Amino acid sequence: METTRAEQYLKKDAPIHLADLTEESAATWGKMTPQHMVEHLIITFKMSVGKINIPIVTQEEEWPATKAYLMKDSPMRRNVPSPVGNNELLPLRFPDLHTAKTKLLEETLSFLELAREQPDFIANHPFGGPMKASEWLLFHRKHFKHHFIQFGLIEDYVKQ
């Protein structure tokens, strides 16, 4: 049931909010530009399907609690340090925000197809350890909401 709601959020709500993101959208925290944020979400989807592997930075005994937090539909901590230890912005990979948003929507649909067909597919999360596609699905919803709040595209959960 929760995974169905998460899938619906990524398929229906996220594209609507993403459409409101412009080059002029200002972050309320952090140093990402709108395009950096979109490209960051693309990288996260690539991690969840095993195309990009980032080392796990938490201890194995921390995985269950961290995974439970990552999957819970609640606000995320802000300004979380990069798991690779470099908090500099990555170079942009796409020529403009529109192209990046189109790619993000493609990656979202590709991930959702994998999650439907192979819910037990496992890919490593840098903080949560090995996670099934069904678990990544819940994380992606949380992660999208986090960055949508960051750019003022949705209301902060804490204020609701």
Side-chain angles (χ1 to χ4, degrees):
M1 178 66 158
E2 190 65 21
T3 55
T4 303
R5 286 200 302 252
E7 182 176 355
Q8 288 303 310
Y9 185 84
L10 293 175
K11 281 172 68 173
K12 300 207 183 305
D13 298 336
I16 293 167
H17 300 310
L18 192 61
D20 292 335
L21 184 71
T22 69
E23 290 286 356
E24 291 73 38
S25 299
T28 56
W29 74 83
K31 51 187 167 181
M32 280 196 244
T33 66
Q35 187 170 337
H36 280 100
M37 181 269 284
V38 170
E39 293 193 20
H40 165 74
L41 292 173
I42 291 169
I43 289 169
T44 307
F45 272 112
K46 289 181 180 277
M47 288 172 21
S48 69
V49 298
K51 289 183 183 175
I52 293 177
N53 293 303
I54 294 178
I56 300 170
V57 297
T58 53
Q59 299 300 314
E60 188 171 349
E61 60 270 13
E62 297 173 31
W63 295 349
T66 303
K67 187 185 299 187
Y69 160 76
L70 293 171
M71 293 169 43
K72 186 176 179 187
D73 189 17
S74 63
M76 290 179 71
R77 284 186 12 234
R78 296 175 181 182
N79 297 309
V80 175
S82 168
V84 294
N86 177 354
N87 289 314
E88 298 303 315
L89 292 175
L90 294 174
L92 295 172
R93 295 175 178 232
F94 296 95
D96 53 50
L97 179 60
H98 174 75
T99 305
K101 290 192 319 186
T102 299
K103 181 63 173 171
L104 175 58
L105 294 173
E106 290 170 6
E107 291 291 339
T108 302
L109 293 176
S110 178
F111 168 79
L112 290 171
E113 184 177 327
L114 173 84
R116 265 192 314 279
E117 293 175 2
Q118 300 179 56
D120 293 331
F121 176 85
I122 293 177
N124 288 337
H125 187 285
F127 297 106
M131 289 179 30
K132 294 179 182 179
S134 57
E135 295 168 327
W136 274 98
L137 173 61
L138 297 174
F139 166 75
H140 284 307
R141 174 184 58 184
K142 179 184 191 99
H143 196 216
F144 264 73
K145 286 182 175 184
H146 172 73
H147 288 295
F148 288 168
I149 291 166
Q150 179 185 22
F151 282 89
L153 303 173
I154 63 172
E155 189 174 344
D156 196 334
Y157 300 57
V158 177
K159 297 177 183 174
Q160 293 178 350

